Amino acid sequence: MHINIERLKSNGYYGIGLLIALIVAVVVLSYVLLHNPYQDVHERIFNIAEKVNKYYREKPNYWKLSTETAIEDDLIGNIKDKYKEYDFSIGQGADGKVSMPSDSTFDIALKHLSKSACISLSEYIIPEEKRVSLMKITITNNDKTTVYSWGEEQKLPVKKYSARSICAAKENTIIWTFQ
């Protein structure tokens, strides 16, 4: 029986190379599957809500709040420039209408969302400290409108997989209502 040492060495190197490639593939796949590409957008929305609450804390309500005044008062930073693929608004409703003197809440809305963005943004886990000011999340598209709020039929936080049947293939709008 003849053992070819050189062939065993090359097969061993081939096996080690294959093992390294497999480990790299697993790490990359894990990152892709576990990384939420919309995490930054979601965090920015809640940070903007905090800024608005601080700015209006000394005022009786959110009177005159709109996308334009939020830009003028430097409350939203560069979110409109950074996330150009979304139609961002702040104020009242999906279009960010100007808040009236009687309004005790305000909305932050993202329009023209894909199904993937709609699901990821609505099902994003809301940290405990950020839940206090959130009143409801509304998902709307051409087919339907669904409102999630604390203690109602559709409860906040939005449960994993519950938005999949609500979000359409495209043209979704999510409205976060804050107090």
PDB file of all heavy atoms in Angstrom, residues 64-101:
ATOM      1  N   LYS A  64     -48.672  74.767  16.020  1.00  0.00           N
ATOM      2  CA  LYS A  64     -47.855  75.176  14.875  1.00  0.00           C
ATOM      3  C   LYS A  64     -46.769  74.170  14.496  1.00  0.00           C
ATOM      4  O   LYS A  64     -45.962  74.446  13.621  1.00  0.00           O
ATOM      5  CB  LYS A  64     -47.220  76.554  15.084  1.00  0.00           C
ATOM      6  CG  LYS A  64     -48.212  77.678  15.197  1.00  0.00           C
ATOM      7  CD  LYS A  64     -47.497  79.005  15.288  1.00  0.00           C
ATOM      8  CE  LYS A  64     -48.485  80.132  15.435  1.00  0.00           C
ATOM      9  NZ  LYS A  64     -47.830  81.422  15.586  1.00  0.00           N
ATOM     10  N   LEU A  65     -46.719  73.014  15.156  1.00  0.00           N
ATOM     11  CA  LEU A  65     -45.723  72.003  14.767  1.00  0.00           C
ATOM     12  C   LEU A  65     -46.063  71.458  13.386  1.00  0.00           C
ATOM     13  O   LEU A  65     -47.196  71.064  13.119  1.00  0.00           O
ATOM     14  CB  LEU A  65     -45.684  70.852  15.775  1.00  0.00           C
ATOM     15  CG  LEU A  65     -44.749  69.692  15.414  1.00  0.00           C
ATOM     16  CD1 LEU A  65     -43.298  70.143  15.361  1.00  0.00           C
ATOM     17  CD2 LEU A  65     -44.917  68.544  16.397  1.00  0.00           C
ATOM     18  N   SER A  66     -45.093  71.467  12.509  1.00  0.00           N
ATOM     19  CA  SER A  66     -45.219  70.891  11.167  1.00  0.00           C
ATOM     20  C   SER A  66     -43.809  70.524  10.700  1.00  0.00           C
ATOM     21  O   SER A  66     -42.827  70.833  11.380  1.00  0.00           O
ATOM     22  CB  SER A  66     -45.838  71.897  10.190  1.00  0.00           C
ATOM     23  OG  SER A  66     -44.946  72.977   9.965  1.00  0.00           O
ATOM     24  N   THR A  67     -43.713  69.895   9.559  1.00  0.00           N
ATOM     25  CA  THR A  67     -42.402  69.540   9.027  1.00  0.00           C
ATOM     26  C   THR A  67     -41.557  70.798   8.843  1.00  0.00           C
ATOM     27  O   THR A  67     -40.379  70.822   9.205  1.00  0.00           O
ATOM     28  CB  THR A  67     -42.544  68.777   7.697  1.00  0.00           C
ATOM     29  OG1 THR A  67     -43.414  67.662   7.905  1.00  0.00           O
ATOM     30  CG2 THR A  67     -41.205  68.283   7.196  1.00  0.00           C
ATOM     31  N   GLU A  68     -42.177  71.846   8.303  1.00  0.00           N
ATOM     32  CA  GLU A  68     -41.442  73.087   8.042  1.00  0.00           C
ATOM     33  C   GLU A  68     -40.933  73.726   9.335  1.00  0.00           C
ATOM     34  O   GLU A  68     -39.776  74.140   9.417  1.00  0.00           O
ATOM     35  CB  GLU A  68     -42.322  74.084   7.271  1.00  0.00           C
ATOM     36  CG  GLU A  68     -42.624  73.651   5.847  1.00  0.00           C
ATOM     37  CD  GLU A  68     -43.678  72.535   5.756  1.00  0.00           C
ATOM     38  OE1 GLU A  68     -44.548  72.431   6.661  1.00  0.00           O
ATOM     39  OE2 GLU A  68     -43.605  71.744   4.808  1.00  0.00           O
ATOM     40  N   THR A  69     -41.799  73.825  10.353  1.00  0.00           N
ATOM     41  CA  THR A  69     -41.348  74.448  11.601  1.00  0.00           C
ATOM     42  C   THR A  69     -40.338  73.564  12.327  1.00  0.00           C
ATOM     43  O   THR A  69     -39.438  74.080  12.991  1.00  0.00           O
ATOM     44  CB  THR A  69     -42.531  74.770  12.542  1.00  0.00           C
ATOM     45  OG1 THR A  69     -43.235  73.568  12.858  1.00  0.00           O
ATOM     46  CG2 THR A  69     -43.460  75.788  11.919  1.00  0.00           C
ATOM     47  N   ALA A  70     -40.461  72.255  12.184  1.00  0.00           N
ATOM     48  CA  ALA A  70     -39.485  71.342  12.799  1.00  0.00           C
ATOM     49  C   ALA A  70     -38.112  71.516  12.155  1.00  0.00           C
ATOM     50  O   ALA A  70     -37.091  71.454  12.837  1.00  0.00           O
ATOM     51  CB  ALA A  70     -39.954  69.901  12.679  1.00  0.00           C
ATOM     52  N   ILE A  71     -38.089  71.775  10.851  1.00  0.00           N
ATOM     53  CA  ILE A  71     -36.824  72.047  10.160  1.00  0.00           C
ATOM     54  C   ILE A  71     -36.259  73.390  10.637  1.00  0.00           C
ATOM     55  O   ILE A  71     -35.086  73.497  10.975  1.00  0.00           O
ATOM     56  CB  ILE A  71     -37.012  72.044   8.626  1.00  0.00           C
ATOM     57  CG1 ILE A  71     -37.300  70.618   8.134  1.00  0.00           C
ATOM     58  CG2 ILE A  71     -35.784  72.616   7.922  1.00  0.00           C
ATOM     59  CD1 ILE A  71     -37.753  70.545   6.693  1.00  0.00           C
ATOM     60  N   GLU A  72     -37.115  74.412  10.680  1.00  0.00           N
ATOM     61  CA  GLU A  72     -36.683  75.743  11.121  1.00  0.00           C
ATOM     62  C   GLU A  72     -36.144  75.719  12.551  1.00  0.00           C
ATOM     63  O   GLU A  72     -35.164  76.393  12.860  1.00  0.00           O
ATOM     64  CB  GLU A  72     -37.855  76.729  11.043  1.00  0.00           C
ATOM     65  CG  GLU A  72     -38.261  77.091   9.649  1.00  0.00           C
ATOM     66  CD  GLU A  72     -39.570  77.873   9.601  1.00  0.00           C
ATOM     67  OE1 GLU A  72     -40.065  78.324  10.663  1.00  0.00           O
ATOM     68  OE2 GLU A  72     -40.113  78.015   8.488  1.00  0.00           O
ATOM     69  N   ASP A  73     -36.778  74.931  13.409  1.00  0.00           N
ATOM     70  CA  ASP A  73     -36.382  74.867  14.820  1.00  0.00           C
ATOM     71  C   ASP A  73     -35.302  73.814  15.065  1.00  0.00           C
ATOM     72  O   ASP A  73     -34.965  73.537  16.220  1.00  0.00           O
ATOM     73  CB  ASP A  73     -37.601  74.572  15.701  1.00  0.00           C
ATOM     74  CG  ASP A  73     -38.632  75.683  15.642  1.00  0.00           C
ATOM     75  OD1 ASP A  73     -38.249  76.844  15.393  1.00  0.00           O
ATOM     76  OD2 ASP A  73     -39.834  75.393  15.840  1.00  0.00           O
ATOM     77  N   ASP A  74     -34.776  73.237  14.004  1.00  0.00           N
ATOM     78  CA  ASP A  74     -33.715  72.240  14.059  1.00  0.00           C
ATOM     79  C   ASP A  74     -34.073  71.043  14.966  1.00  0.00           C
ATOM     80  O   ASP A  74     -33.281  70.603  15.782  1.00  0.00           O
ATOM     81  CB  ASP A  74     -32.394  72.863  14.501  1.00  0.00           C
ATOM     82  CG  ASP A  74     -31.208  71.955  14.202  1.00  0.00           C
ATOM     83  OD1 ASP A  74     -31.292  71.168  13.239  1.00  0.00           O
ATOM     84  OD2 ASP A  74     -30.212  72.023  14.946  1.00  0.00           O
ATOM     85  N   LEU A  75     -35.291  70.530  14.781  1.00  0.00           N
ATOM     86  CA  LEU A  75     -35.751  69.402  15.583  1.00  0.00           C
ATOM     87  C   LEU A  75     -35.567  68.061  14.882  1.00  0.00           C
ATOM     88  O   LEU A  75     -35.563  67.026  15.537  1.00  0.00           O
ATOM     89  CB  LEU A  75     -37.236  69.576  15.943  1.00  0.00           C
ATOM     90  CG  LEU A  75     -37.576  70.789  16.794  1.00  0.00           C
ATOM     91  CD1 LEU A  75     -39.079  70.920  16.963  1.00  0.00           C
ATOM     92  CD2 LEU A  75     -36.872  70.716  18.134  1.00  0.00           C
ATOM     93  N   ILE A  76     -35.420  68.082  13.555  1.00  0.00           N
ATOM     94  CA  ILE A  76     -35.353  66.803  12.835  1.00  0.00           C
ATOM     95  C   ILE A  76     -34.002  66.523  12.205  1.00  0.00           C
ATOM     96  O   ILE A  76     -33.805  65.455  11.625  1.00  0.00           O
ATOM     97  CB  ILE A  76     -36.464  66.687  11.762  1.00  0.00           C
ATOM     98  CG1 ILE A  76     -36.323  67.762  10.690  1.00  0.00           C
ATOM     99  CG2 ILE A  76     -37.832  66.743  12.405  1.00  0.00           C
ATOM    100  CD1 ILE A  76     -37.280  67.588   9.535  1.00  0.00           C
ATOM    101  N   GLY A  77     -33.068  67.430  12.329  1.00  0.00           N
ATOM    102  CA  GLY A  77     -31.743  67.190  11.755  1.00  0.00           C
ATOM    103  C   GLY A  77     -31.813  66.971  10.257  1.00  0.00           C
ATOM    104  O   GLY A  77     -32.589  67.607   9.556  1.00  0.00           O
ATOM    105  N   ASN A  78     -31.035  66.022   9.773  1.00  0.00           N
ATOM    106  CA  ASN A  78     -30.956  65.787   8.324  1.00  0.00           C
ATOM    107  C   ASN A  78     -31.738  64.548   7.892  1.00  0.00           C
ATOM    108  O   ASN A  78     -31.413  63.937   6.889  1.00  0.00           O
ATOM    109  CB  ASN A  78     -29.503  65.660   7.900  1.00  0.00           C
ATOM    110  CG  ASN A  78     -28.844  64.414   8.482  1.00  0.00           C
ATOM    111  OD1 ASN A  78     -29.357  63.789   9.405  1.00  0.00           O
ATOM    112  ND2 ASN A  78     -27.698  64.061   7.950  1.00  0.00           N
ATOM    113  N   ILE A  79     -32.772  64.181   8.615  1.00  0.00           N
ATOM    114  CA  ILE A  79     -33.502  62.950   8.284  1.00  0.00           C
ATOM    115  C   ILE A  79     -34.095  63.009   6.873  1.00  0.00           C
ATOM    116  O   ILE A  79     -34.112  62.015   6.172  1.00  0.00           O
ATOM    117  CB  ILE A  79     -34.582  62.614   9.337  1.00  0.00           C
ATOM    118  CG1 ILE A  79     -35.077  61.169   9.136  1.00  0.00           C
ATOM    119  CG2 ILE A  79     -35.720  63.605   9.314  1.00  0.00           C
ATOM    120  CD1 ILE A  79     -35.907  60.626  10.266  1.00  0.00           C
ATOM    121  N   LYS A  80     -34.561  64.173   6.456  1.00  0.00           N
ATOM    122  CA  LYS A  80     -35.132  64.282   5.106  1.00  0.00           C
ATOM    123  C   LYS A  80     -34.066  64.088   4.032  1.00  0.00           C
ATOM    124  O   LYS A  80     -34.336  63.542   2.976  1.00  0.00           O
ATOM    125  CB  LYS A  80     -35.854  65.613   4.929  1.00  0.00           C
ATOM    126  CG  LYS A  80     -37.187  65.654   5.656  1.00  0.00           C
ATOM    127  CD  LYS A  80     -37.912  66.950   5.418  1.00  0.00           C
ATOM    128  CE  LYS A  80     -38.521  67.085   4.077  1.00  0.00           C
ATOM    129  NZ  LYS A  80     -39.700  66.327   3.779  1.00  0.00           N
ATOM    130  N   ASP A  81     -32.842  64.524   4.293  1.00  0.00           N
ATOM    131  CA  ASP A  81     -31.750  64.355   3.338  1.00  0.00           C
ATOM    132  C   ASP A  81     -31.183  62.939   3.390  1.00  0.00           C
ATOM    133  O   ASP A  81     -30.888  62.342   2.359  1.00  0.00           O
ATOM    134  CB  ASP A  81     -30.633  65.355   3.615  1.00  0.00           C
ATOM    135  CG  ASP A  81     -31.078  66.784   3.410  1.00  0.00           C
ATOM    136  OD1 ASP A  81     -31.973  67.016   2.579  1.00  0.00           O
ATOM    137  OD2 ASP A  81     -30.546  67.675   4.103  1.00  0.00           O
ATOM    138  N   LYS A  82     -31.028  62.419   4.588  1.00  0.00           N
ATOM    139  CA  LYS A  82     -30.409  61.115   4.758  1.00  0.00           C
ATOM    140  C   LYS A  82     -31.285  59.977   4.244  1.00  0.00           C
ATOM    141  O   LYS A  82     -30.794  58.998   3.722  1.00  0.00           O
ATOM    142  CB  LYS A  82     -30.068  60.890   6.231  1.00  0.00           C
ATOM    143  CG  LYS A  82     -29.242  59.646   6.457  1.00  0.00           C
ATOM    144  CD  LYS A  82     -28.700  59.564   7.854  1.00  0.00           C
ATOM    145  CE  LYS A  82     -27.833  58.330   7.975  1.00  0.00           C
ATOM    146  NZ  LYS A  82     -27.267  58.169   9.279  1.00  0.00           N
ATOM    147  N   TYR A  83     -32.600  60.101   4.431  1.00  0.00           N
ATOM    148  CA  TYR A  83     -33.525  59.039   4.025  1.00  0.00           C
ATOM    149  C   TYR A  83     -34.459  59.565   2.934  1.00  0.00           C
ATOM    150  O   TYR A  83     -35.671  59.633   3.105  1.00  0.00           O
ATOM    151  CB  TYR A  83     -34.317  58.538   5.237  1.00  0.00           C
ATOM    152  CG  TYR A  83     -33.426  58.059   6.344  1.00  0.00           C
ATOM    153  CD1 TYR A  83     -33.245  58.808   7.493  1.00  0.00           C
ATOM    154  CD2 TYR A  83     -32.732  56.861   6.222  1.00  0.00           C
ATOM    155  CE1 TYR A  83     -32.403  58.374   8.507  1.00  0.00           C
ATOM    156  CE2 TYR A  83     -31.885  56.427   7.222  1.00  0.00           C
ATOM    157  CZ  TYR A  83     -31.727  57.187   8.366  1.00  0.00           C
ATOM    158  OH  TYR A  83     -30.895  56.757   9.351  1.00  0.00           O
ATOM    159  N   LYS A  84     -33.873  59.926   1.810  1.00  0.00           N
ATOM    160  CA  LYS A  84     -34.632  60.521   0.714  1.00  0.00           C
ATOM    161  C   LYS A  84     -35.655  59.573   0.100  1.00  0.00           C
ATOM    162  O   LYS A  84     -36.623  60.006  -0.500  1.00  0.00           O
ATOM    163  CB  LYS A  84     -33.678  61.005  -0.381  1.00  0.00           C
ATOM    164  CG  LYS A  84     -32.847  62.174   0.043  1.00  0.00           C
ATOM    165  CD  LYS A  84     -31.899  62.595  -1.039  1.00  0.00           C
ATOM    166  CE  LYS A  84     -31.036  63.742  -0.521  1.00  0.00           C
ATOM    167  NZ  LYS A  84     -30.042  64.151  -1.451  1.00  0.00           N
ATOM    168  N   GLU A  85     -35.435  58.261   0.270  1.00  0.00           N
ATOM    169  CA  GLU A  85     -36.354  57.298  -0.337  1.00  0.00           C
ATOM    170  C   GLU A  85     -37.710  57.267   0.359  1.00  0.00           C
ATOM    171  O   GLU A  85     -38.675  56.733  -0.159  1.00  0.00           O
ATOM    172  CB  GLU A  85     -35.747  55.888  -0.365  1.00  0.00           C
ATOM    173  CG  GLU A  85     -35.510  55.272   1.002  1.00  0.00           C
ATOM    174  CD  GLU A  85     -34.138  55.555   1.589  1.00  0.00           C
ATOM    175  OE1 GLU A  85     -33.507  56.565   1.252  1.00  0.00           O
ATOM    176  OE2 GLU A  85     -33.691  54.734   2.401  1.00  0.00           O
ATOM    177  N   TYR A  86     -37.795  57.872   1.554  1.00  0.00           N
ATOM    178  CA  TYR A  86     -39.054  57.929   2.290  1.00  0.00           C
ATOM    179  C   TYR A  86     -39.578  59.353   2.292  1.00  0.00           C
ATOM    180  O   TYR A  86     -38.818  60.298   2.321  1.00  0.00           O
ATOM    181  CB  TYR A  86     -38.870  57.484   3.750  1.00  0.00           C
ATOM    182  CG  TYR A  86     -38.151  56.174   3.909  1.00  0.00           C
ATOM    183  CD1 TYR A  86     -36.998  56.093   4.671  1.00  0.00           C
ATOM    184  CD2 TYR A  86     -38.613  55.021   3.294  1.00  0.00           C
ATOM    185  CE1 TYR A  86     -36.332  54.891   4.828  1.00  0.00           C
ATOM    186  CE2 TYR A  86     -37.946  53.819   3.443  1.00  0.00           C
ATOM    187  CZ  TYR A  86     -36.813  53.764   4.208  1.00  0.00           C
ATOM    188  OH  TYR A  86     -36.155  52.585   4.352  1.00  0.00           O
ATOM    189  N   ASP A  87     -40.880  59.467   2.318  1.00  0.00           N
ATOM    190  CA  ASP A  87     -41.511  60.769   2.442  1.00  0.00           C
ATOM    191  C   ASP A  87     -41.778  60.975   3.935  1.00  0.00           C
ATOM    192  O   ASP A  87     -42.682  60.381   4.497  1.00  0.00           O
ATOM    193  CB  ASP A  87     -42.801  60.790   1.630  1.00  0.00           C
ATOM    194  CG  ASP A  87     -43.429  62.155   1.576  1.00  0.00           C
ATOM    195  OD1 ASP A  87     -42.882  63.104   2.164  1.00  0.00           O
ATOM    196  OD2 ASP A  87     -44.495  62.286   0.949  1.00  0.00           O
ATOM    197  N   PHE A  88     -40.956  61.782   4.578  1.00  0.00           N
ATOM    198  CA  PHE A  88     -41.015  62.010   6.013  1.00  0.00           C
ATOM    199  C   PHE A  88     -41.853  63.242   6.311  1.00  0.00           C
ATOM    200  O   PHE A  88     -41.733  64.256   5.633  1.00  0.00           O
ATOM    201  CB  PHE A  88     -39.592  62.230   6.540  1.00  0.00           C
ATOM    202  CG  PHE A  88     -39.540  62.689   7.970  1.00  0.00           C
ATOM    203  CD1 PHE A  88     -39.532  61.772   8.995  1.00  0.00           C
ATOM    204  CD2 PHE A  88     -39.503  64.041   8.279  1.00  0.00           C
ATOM    205  CE1 PHE A  88     -39.488  62.187  10.319  1.00  0.00           C
ATOM    206  CE2 PHE A  88     -39.453  64.465   9.585  1.00  0.00           C
ATOM    207  CZ  PHE A  88     -39.451  63.535  10.606  1.00  0.00           C
ATOM    208  N   SER A  89     -42.708  63.155   7.342  1.00  0.00           N
ATOM    209  CA  SER A  89     -43.441  64.337   7.781  1.00  0.00           C
ATOM    210  C   SER A  89     -43.644  64.286   9.288  1.00  0.00           C
ATOM    211  O   SER A  89     -43.610  63.230   9.903  1.00  0.00           O
ATOM    212  CB  SER A  89     -44.792  64.455   7.065  1.00  0.00           C
ATOM    213  OG  SER A  89     -45.631  63.376   7.413  1.00  0.00           O
ATOM    214  N   ILE A  90     -43.856  65.463   9.843  1.00  0.00           N
ATOM    215  CA  ILE A  90     -44.120  65.586  11.284  1.00  0.00           C
ATOM    216  C   ILE A  90     -45.190  66.652  11.455  1.00  0.00           C
ATOM    217  O   ILE A  90     -45.221  67.637  10.728  1.00  0.00           O
ATOM    218  CB  ILE A  90     -42.828  65.931  12.063  1.00  0.00           C
ATOM    219  CG1 ILE A  90     -43.076  65.918  13.557  1.00  0.00           C
ATOM    220  CG2 ILE A  90     -42.231  67.227  11.602  1.00  0.00           C
ATOM    221  CD1 ILE A  90     -41.799  65.990  14.385  1.00  0.00           C
ATOM    222  N   GLY A  91     -46.098  66.424  12.358  1.00  0.00           N
ATOM    223  CA  GLY A  91     -47.224  67.339  12.598  1.00  0.00           C
ATOM    224  C   GLY A  91     -48.449  66.516  12.937  1.00  0.00           C
ATOM    225  O   GLY A  91     -48.422  65.709  13.864  1.00  0.00           O
ATOM    226  N   GLN A  92     -49.509  66.688  12.136  1.00  0.00           N
ATOM    227  CA  GLN A  92     -50.741  65.923  12.347  1.00  0.00           C
ATOM    228  C   GLN A  92     -51.049  65.086  11.108  1.00  0.00           C
ATOM    229  O   GLN A  92     -51.107  65.598   9.997  1.00  0.00           O
ATOM    230  CB  GLN A  92     -51.915  66.861  12.638  1.00  0.00           C
ATOM    231  CG  GLN A  92     -51.785  67.621  13.932  1.00  0.00           C
ATOM    232  CD  GLN A  92     -51.768  66.681  15.128  1.00  0.00           C
ATOM    233  OE1 GLN A  92     -52.561  65.754  15.235  1.00  0.00           O
ATOM    234  NE2 GLN A  92     -50.847  66.928  16.049  1.00  0.00           N
ATOM    235  N   GLY A  93     -51.204  63.777  11.287  1.00  0.00           N
ATOM    236  CA  GLY A  93     -51.565  62.882  10.198  1.00  0.00           C
ATOM    237  C   GLY A  93     -50.399  62.532   9.298  1.00  0.00           C
ATOM    238  O   GLY A  93     -49.262  62.941   9.532  1.00  0.00           O
ATOM    239  N   ALA A  94     -50.718  61.765   8.270  1.00  0.00           N
ATOM    240  CA  ALA A  94     -49.691  61.277   7.344  1.00  0.00           C
ATOM    241  C   ALA A  94     -49.035  62.398   6.551  1.00  0.00           C
ATOM    242  O   ALA A  94     -47.896  62.262   6.116  1.00  0.00           O
ATOM    243  CB  ALA A  94     -50.303  60.256   6.390  1.00  0.00           C
ATOM    244  N   ASP A  95     -49.754  63.504   6.363  1.00  0.00           N
ATOM    245  CA  ASP A  95     -49.213  64.608   5.581  1.00  0.00           C
ATOM    246  C   ASP A  95     -48.538  65.670   6.438  1.00  0.00           C
ATOM    247  O   ASP A  95     -48.056  66.671   5.910  1.00  0.00           O
ATOM    248  CB  ASP A  95     -50.324  65.240   4.735  1.00  0.00           C
ATOM    249  CG  ASP A  95     -50.869  64.252   3.717  1.00  0.00           C
ATOM    250  OD1 ASP A  95     -50.074  63.444   3.191  1.00  0.00           O
ATOM    251  OD2 ASP A  95     -52.087  64.272   3.463  1.00  0.00           O
ATOM    252  N   GLY A  96     -48.518  65.485   7.738  1.00  0.00           N
ATOM    253  CA  GLY A  96     -47.853  66.437   8.627  1.00  0.00           C
ATOM    254  C   GLY A  96     -48.505  67.798   8.639  1.00  0.00           C
ATOM    255  O   GLY A  96     -47.829  68.825   8.600  1.00  0.00           O
ATOM    256  N   LYS A  97     -49.831  67.823   8.711  1.00  0.00           N
ATOM    257  CA  LYS A  97     -50.537  69.106   8.771  1.00  0.00           C
ATOM    258  C   LYS A  97     -50.130  69.852  10.036  1.00  0.00           C
ATOM    259  O   LYS A  97     -49.759  69.256  11.033  1.00  0.00           O
ATOM    260  CB  LYS A  97     -52.047  68.875   8.747  1.00  0.00           C
ATOM    261  CG  LYS A  97     -52.520  68.288   7.437  1.00  0.00           C
ATOM    262  CD  LYS A  97     -53.999  68.053   7.451  1.00  0.00           C
ATOM    263  CE  LYS A  97     -54.390  67.411   6.121  1.00  0.00           C
ATOM    264  NZ  LYS A  97     -55.755  66.930   6.135  1.00  0.00           N
ATOM    265  N   VAL A  98     -50.246  71.162   9.986  1.00  0.00           N
ATOM    266  CA  VAL A  98     -49.863  72.008  11.102  1.00  0.00           C
ATOM    267  C   VAL A  98     -50.739  71.692  12.307  1.00  0.00           C
ATOM    268  O   VAL A  98     -51.961  71.611  12.199  1.00  0.00           O
ATOM    269  CB  VAL A  98     -49.991  73.506  10.734  1.00  0.00           C
ATOM    270  CG1 VAL A  98     -49.697  74.399  11.922  1.00  0.00           C
ATOM    271  CG2 VAL A  98     -49.082  73.839   9.571  1.00  0.00           C
ATOM    272  N   SER A  99     -50.092  71.521  13.476  1.00  0.00           N
ATOM    273  CA  SER A  99     -50.823  71.252  14.713  1.00  0.00           C
ATOM    274  C   SER A  99     -51.610  72.485  15.140  1.00  0.00           C
ATOM    275  O   SER A  99     -51.134  73.611  15.024  1.00  0.00           O
ATOM    276  CB  SER A  99     -49.856  70.859  15.829  1.00  0.00           C
ATOM    277  OG  SER A  99     -49.263  69.618  15.542  1.00  0.00           O
ATOM    278  N   MET A 100     -52.797  72.230  15.652  1.00  0.00           N
ATOM    279  CA  MET A 100     -53.677  73.298  16.108  1.00  0.00           C
ATOM    280  C   MET A 100     -53.498  73.483  17.625  1.00  0.00           C
ATOM    281  O   MET A 100     -52.941  72.627  18.293  1.00  0.00           O
ATOM    282  CB  MET A 100     -55.131  72.953  15.764  1.00  0.00           C
ATOM    283  CG  MET A 100     -55.368  72.727  14.269  1.00  0.00           C
ATOM    284  SD  MET A 100     -54.767  74.049  13.211  1.00  0.00           S
ATOM    285  CE  MET A 100     -55.888  75.344  13.600  1.00  0.00           C
ATOM    286  N   PRO A 101     -54.027  74.594  18.177  1.00  0.00           N
ATOM    287  CA  PRO A 101     -53.849  74.853  19.610  1.00  0.00           C
ATOM    288  C   PRO A 101     -54.395  73.745  20.519  1.00  0.00           C
ATOM    289  O   PRO A 101     -53.901  73.559  21.621  1.00  0.00           O
ATOM    290  CB  PRO A 101     -54.612  76.161  19.838  1.00  0.00           C
ATOM    291  CG  PRO A 101     -54.632  76.822  18.515  1.00  0.00           C
ATOM    292  CD  PRO A 101     -54.663  75.718  17.496  1.00  0.00           C
TER     293      PRO A 101
END
